[in-house]
């Protein structure tokens, strides 16, 4: 199908020869192996990018006059990769709180926007994109290091989908409200999972998390609070649409409206099985869309997730098993299991410093049962579709933005070099603080 | 039942004095022979022969490794697994009296998981809370053996130093919760870290002089009362005498240089700088001193002192003639040192063999055990790893691991044993439930 | 003479009866422990000692005769490691000691900066000087059939010296059977970094090692000074070292087999006769193989499932296995020829002690061996088997008389004799440990 369409475009281009000047978001990559991801790879074809969008892919595309040519011989073209959960722009040195803007105070904060706190000059931006990651979801508070959310924060705010390029955060924006982050309650564990800790020779500081009954009570109370908040939002919606007397605009409630209308999904952090099940039940009860963020204990809920079409963002495959008895490859095997259950998923690496290793994280899952093309999808088109921009990003298809990477080989392999990175058709300089330090100290006499 | 038999076989294997032959693999020997397709004969715990064609002895267990790859056992030069209790004796700034050897935990599941990643040797270090930390030990990942049997016999003992943010953290306690702030522990700055180390060596020099005088007197036939043995200074005396390796956790260029100058002043050598993320800035000085560098492949940015870290660090240091290894400092990363090594190809353009060297022969040299491990050569220990694919690929995994010619990890055995383990667990849980006495209602 | 005085003073005892000069229990089953059981016989007590025991003994004319029909006489039970009577110790102490004393440890002292500050050390304290006879648990203990306890101070790392105490007497000092039987050592690490040195297991071990090095040196210096003080600086008095030097043996904690091996080797290194206490994994061959010459004390606080488990949380296989196998440890130790005794480890209620003993018997330990482990074995382990621990002529008249075989569910303790004085159990308070309450794992 592509071939026929390509030929047609090629003819059209020949007819409209000189219209395109040497615009810096227009170029032609020629003679490369192209991996569109949504269809089979193509050997030795060209990709035409115009005004930042993919205009054509095909074997014989004649270059419009004056357009920049990129020699693709021996190289491969892939869609730029997407990491589905980071804090890029919001956290610089995770151990230094003053450089960190994740984890605001407050229990219900849906009105907070990650986008407007993104520092476009964060060093994480150039460090990450040189390895072909062209856009990321950036979150208000996944509760990581340095981000102290002050008490159990249930709704953290609006996560943004951003390009890793732009003079301002406005220019980086793809969607400022791609999701609203919910930290689903969980029952604190008693700390078991290591038998040596159960028979301590050196009795020392021992915590007590309270009895299970207490912890369960707290858990149930938190879920109730969440439900109450959503009920209040619905009430607000009713009052707003019916122009109720005395109606006052409330920013928190305003932020909830697109969620109630199912236009914006909730990105729900839930790791253990009980939290996952309860989160799914909550979503049903409240008629909202959810995406599960970094769930771990998935084995028994996959069927339900498939049935309800709930996608998941899988955390690092490079992770230790849950407890002492779990199989050593528990984290690595999970993506394969999720794929075989028919649940849609994308990958994330979590910490800013490791986002550049997103493809290797995906590659690791291939060793343990995930088909390779699925791994590639999980860092490209799946992520785009999960976050509602499947029509704009995530694959090499006509009409989509030219977020591309050009490599010497399989991007999921470490030894592969990234030769070019494009974001919205603009070539990204493959330099950052680290390459500059490298240059500088290579020249120390 | 099958799992039990397999386990029994695995347990009995060492008794057979087995000969194992790994046939027709792609061997990354990390020796002069380079990488080639061939076979390995392991007998009586040692590599008996390795080459394109080998003699297969009678009665040998032959593993058909066609299409698969073999590397030397991976060596992690910076690890904190397999130790009971706190990995730091952080109450005092100089804790050289404590010894990891006293608290080896041979049952730490991290040992097994490291094996599953191809690691056969690990340098178990004290934490980094102290300017001068505790004594360290090198272990072989002999899963199932007891503490003494885990010790890499003949590996020189070490001691951990730490520079930079970590050892001064206790000097700058946070406000404290509820008025229960910990008292500040000197030092609070990098200046104080230097002073702490110098003070300790000042004491150690005097202590050594006392003992040298005593030893001389005994030699001269006298019978004086010996000086009091001080465990803290004893370890530092060994450093001065070159009997104990110093592994120094360090980040910034200024502190790396600082420690080199202290070592020069007191006449000892730093064996390795650990982490040494700004090592590339003072690579000349490190090379001149003769220290090795054991670093991360691409960690950066999590602390201020890691903000200038670059993934080209290993390559730059190597170019200056420093022996460089890549380590984990982490029970999870430890399982992927083969792919961490691949990052030296990506960042700095090292060859495949030079990259793998960073987790095999280089750390062996740093730990002084290169005559025993680190490469696949006749005469060395039978520490080898079988991968199903190219070990530098993210998509490969470890199939089998041998240490001293004994098989300590077998993925097939692990996978097939899982149902039986689950069953046993369920049985015990059900037995407990049925035995449980009636509880008072909550 | 002393015992005559005791007998006379017994007039003022709680029982408020004129003490007989001689007591005979006639027609009872007698279990001497040192020899075969006597189906029907008699024991005669006089002056606090056993005058005669056997099938056919002459009952003296002046003896108060107790009809022993349907009763069984055993040696009085001995708790091999006890805190009964020690001030400031919470009754339901944690497993393995150390914790028991922690609550009482005065946090007033500034954090220790190293071994020279002798942290958490009260090695000179003797239980004989500290114990309080009016501790309520002593009465409970007698109700359970105990006549004697080896009481230790258990605070900190070097808790102090244990004493063998008989659990009744007019004057405190009369209760002391043996003032110093060993030094209690625990791997106590207090509040962590802010609490001072040591704050890690390896720190405690290094500290204990240093203390013994210092003790050896101290002895050398003191001996030299003794011989010829002129011109020599006098050795500083160090009561911590004095306490350690005067202890005839040490007690070290060990629950997992890894710890058993570690502590046996440590005791050997310190050149101290060693007793291990705890022994959860005493059933494991890797423990028993190391215990040829080391006696052990098995805790009666059998590991139990948590009271309010999270239904979603699964414990590790190892924890489940240990819980199931722990009560088999005594029998396994017996089979392996390891000398062992029981200790109550905070299990203070008579009903709970009985159940704990029954658990060991249900797991395979014979009643005979069970009784021995609470009578003659602890006496042997502490070197006082010539005086106590069995029913033999000349030994101290410490006995327990039961209706029914000891440790059975329906058995009652009818009376105990301590130094020849009869005590009848006080009625149990309602709702606590009585037969009416449902069983509770503790």
């Amino acid at each position: 199908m592509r071939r026929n369409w390509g030929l047609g475009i090629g003819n059209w281009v020949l007819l409209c020869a000189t219209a395109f000047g040497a615009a810096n978001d227009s170029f032609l990559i020629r003679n490369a192996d192209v991996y569109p991801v949504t269809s089979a790879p193509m050997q030795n074809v060209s990709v035409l990018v115009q005004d930042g969008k993919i205009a054509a892919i095909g074997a014989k595309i004649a270059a419009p006059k004056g357009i920049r040519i990129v020699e693709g011989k021996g190289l491969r073209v892939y869609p730029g990769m997407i990491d589905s959960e980071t804090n890029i722009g919001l956290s610089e040195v995770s151990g230094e709180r003053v450089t960190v803007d994740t984890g605001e105070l407050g229990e219900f904060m849906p009105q907070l926007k990650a986008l407007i706190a993104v520092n476009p000059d964060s060093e994480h931006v150039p460090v990450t994109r040189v390895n072909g990651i062209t856009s990321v979801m950036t979150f208000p508070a996944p509760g990581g290091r340095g981000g102290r959310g002050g008490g159990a924060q249930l709704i953290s705010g609006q996560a943004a989908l951003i390009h890793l390029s732009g003079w301002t955060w406005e220019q980086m924006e793809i969607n400022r409200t791609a999701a609203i982050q919910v930290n689903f309650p969980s029952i604190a564990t008693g700390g078991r999972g290591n038998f040596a800790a159960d028979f301590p020779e050196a009795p020392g500081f021992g915590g007590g998390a309270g009895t299970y009954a207490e912890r369960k009570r707290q858990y149930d109370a938190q879920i109730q609070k969440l439900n109450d908040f959503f009920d209040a939002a619905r009430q607000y919606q009713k009052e707003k649409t019916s122009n109720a007397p005395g109606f006052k605009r409330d920013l928190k409630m305003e932020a909830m409206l697109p969620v109630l209308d199912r236009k914006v999904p909730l990105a729900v952090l839930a790791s253990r099985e009980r939290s996952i099940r309860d989160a799914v039940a909550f979503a049903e009860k409240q008629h909202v869309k959810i995406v599960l963020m970094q769930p771990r204990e998935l084995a028994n809920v996959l069927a339900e997730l498939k049935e309800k079409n709930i996608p998941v963002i899988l955390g690092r495959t490079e992770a230790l098993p849950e407890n002492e008895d779990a199989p050593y490859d528990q984290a690595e095997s999970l993506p394969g299991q999720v794929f075989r259950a028919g649940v849609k998923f994308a990958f994330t690496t979590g910490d800013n410093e490791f986002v550049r290793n997103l493809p290797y994280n995906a590659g690791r899952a291939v060793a343990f049962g995930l088909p390779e093309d699925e791994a590639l999808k999980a860092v490209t088109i799946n992520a785009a579709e999960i976050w509602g921009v499947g029509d704009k990003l995530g694959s090499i298809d006509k009409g989509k933005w030219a977020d591309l990477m050009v490599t010497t080989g399989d991007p999921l392999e470490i030894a592969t070099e990234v030769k070019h990175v494009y974001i919205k058709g603009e070539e990204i300089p493959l330099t950052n603080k680290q390459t500059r330090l490298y240059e500088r100290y290579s020249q120390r006499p | 039942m099958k799992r039990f038999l397999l386990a029994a076989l695995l347990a009995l294997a060492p008794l057979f004095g087995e000969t194992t032959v790994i046939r027709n693999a792609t061997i990354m020997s990390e020796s002069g022979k380079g990488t080639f397709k061939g076979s390995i004969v392991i007998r009586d715990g040692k590599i008996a022969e390795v080459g394109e064609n080998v003699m297969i002895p009678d009665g040998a267990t032959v593993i058909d490794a066609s299409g698969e790859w073999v590397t030397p056992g991976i060596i992690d030069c910076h690890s904190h697994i397999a130790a009971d209790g706190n990995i730091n004796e952080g109450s005092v700034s100089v804790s050289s009296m404590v010894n990891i050897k006293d608290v080896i935990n041979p049952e730490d599941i991290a040992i097994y998981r490291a094996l599953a990643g191809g690691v056969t040797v690990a340098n178990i270090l004290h934490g980094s809370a102290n300017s001068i930390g505790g004594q360290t030990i090198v272990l072989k990942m002999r899963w199932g053996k007891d503490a003494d049997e885990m010790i890499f016999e003949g590996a020189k003992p070490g001691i951990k130093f730490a520079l930079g943010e970590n050892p001064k953290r206790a000097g700058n306690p946070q406000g404290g919760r509820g008025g229960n702030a910990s008292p500040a522990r000197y030092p609070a700055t990098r200046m104080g870290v230097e002073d702490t180390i110098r003070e300790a060596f000042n004491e150690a020099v005097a202590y050594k002089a006392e003992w040298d005088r005593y030893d001389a007197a005994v030699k001269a036939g006298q019978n004086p009362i010996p000086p009091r043995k001080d465990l803290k200074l004893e370890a530092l005396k060994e450093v001065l005498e070159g009997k104990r390796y110093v592994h120094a956790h360090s980040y910034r260029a200024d502190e790396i240089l600082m420690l080199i100058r202290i070592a020069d002043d007191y006449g000892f050598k730093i064996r390795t700088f650990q982490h040494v993320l700004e090592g590339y800035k003072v690579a000349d000085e490190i090379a001149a001193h003769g220290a090795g560098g054991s670093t991360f492949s691409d960690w950066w940015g999590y602390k201020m002192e890691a903000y200038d870290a670059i993934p080209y660090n290993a390559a730059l240091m190597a170019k200056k003639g420093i022996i460089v290894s890549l380590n984990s400092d982490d029970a999870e990363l430890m399982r992927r040192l083969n792919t961490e090594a691949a990052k030296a190809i990506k960042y700095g353009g090292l060859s495949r063999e030079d990259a793998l060297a960073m987790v095999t022969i280089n750390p062996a040299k740093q730990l002084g055990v290169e005559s025993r491990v680190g490469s696949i050569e006749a005469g060395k220990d039978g520490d080898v790893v079988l991968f199903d694919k190219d070990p530098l690929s993210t998509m490969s995994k470890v199939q089998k691991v041998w240490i001293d010619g004994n098989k300590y990890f077998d993925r097939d055995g692990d996978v097939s044993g899982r149902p039986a383990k689950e069953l046993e667990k369920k049985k015990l849980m059900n037995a407990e439930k049925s035995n449980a006495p009636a509880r008072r209602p909550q | 003479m002393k015992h005559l005085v005791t007998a006379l003073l017994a007039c003022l005892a709680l029982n408020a009866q004129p003490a007989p000069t001689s007591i005979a229990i006639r027609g009872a089953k007698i279990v001497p422990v040192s020899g075969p059981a006597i189906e029907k016989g008699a024991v005669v007590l006089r002056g606090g000692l056993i005058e005669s025991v056997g099938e056919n003994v002459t009952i003296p004319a002046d003896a108060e005769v107790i009809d022993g029909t349907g009763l069984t006489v055993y040696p009085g039970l001995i708790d091999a490691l006890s805190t009964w009577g020690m001030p400031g110790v919470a009754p339901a102490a944690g497993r393995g000691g150390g914790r028991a004393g922690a609550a009482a440890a005065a946090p007033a002292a500034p954090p220790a900066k190293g071994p020279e500050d002798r942290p958490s050390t009260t090695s000179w304290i003797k239980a004989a000087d500290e114990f309080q006879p009016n501790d309520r648990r002593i009465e409970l203990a007698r109700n359970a059939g105990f006549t004697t306890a080896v009481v230790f101070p258990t605070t900190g790392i070097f808790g102090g010296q244990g004493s063998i105490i008989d659990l009744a007497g007019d004057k405190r000092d009369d209760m002391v059977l043996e003032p110093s039987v060993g030094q209690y050592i625990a791997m106590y690490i207090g509040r962590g970094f802010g609490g001072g040195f040591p704050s890690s297991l390896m720190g405690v071990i290094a500290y204990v090692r240093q203390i013994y090095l210092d003790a050896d040196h101290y002895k050398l210096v003191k001996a030299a000074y003794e011989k010829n003080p002129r011109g020599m600086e006098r050795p500083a008095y160090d009561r911590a070292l004095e306490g350690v030097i005067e202890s005839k043996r040490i007690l070290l904690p060990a629950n997992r087999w890894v710890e058993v091996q570690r502590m046996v080797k440590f005791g050997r290194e310190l050149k101290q006769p060693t007793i291990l206490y705890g022994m959860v994994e005493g059933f494991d061959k890797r423990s028993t193989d190391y215990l040829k010459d080391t006696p052990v004390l098995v805790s009666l606080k059998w590991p139990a499932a948590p009271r309010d488990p999270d239904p979603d949380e699964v414990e590790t296989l190892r924890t489940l296995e240990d819980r199931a196998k722990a009560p088999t440890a005594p029998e396994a130790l017996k089979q392996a020829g390891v000398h062992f005794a029981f200790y109550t480890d905070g299990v203070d209620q008579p009903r709970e002690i009985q159940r704990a003993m029954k658990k060991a018997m249900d797991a395979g330990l014979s009643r005979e061996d069970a009784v021995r482990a609470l009578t003659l074995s602890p006496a042997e382990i502490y070197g006082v088997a010539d005086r106590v621990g069995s029913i033999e002529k000349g030994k101290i008249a410490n006995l327990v008389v039961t209706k029914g075989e000891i440790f059975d569910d329906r058995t009652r303790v009818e009376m105990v004799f301590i130094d020849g004085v009869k005590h009848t159990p006080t009625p149990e308070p309602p709702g606590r440990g009585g037969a009416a309450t449902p069983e509770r794992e503790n």
Side-chain angles (χ1 to χ4, degrees), chain A residues 239-252:
Chain A
E239 287 171 10
K240 182 178 183 182
T241 49
S242 68
N243 279 321
F247 170 80
K248 266 205 297 231
R249 193 175 153 85
D250 178 307
L251 294 181
K252 286 192 197 199

Side-chain angles (χ1 to χ4, degrees), chain C residues 71-89:
Chain C
L71 301 181
T72 314
V73 185
Y74 300 90
L77 303 181
I78 302 173
D79 187 7
L81 198 188
S82 189
T83 56
W84 295 332
M86 290 307 286
V89 175

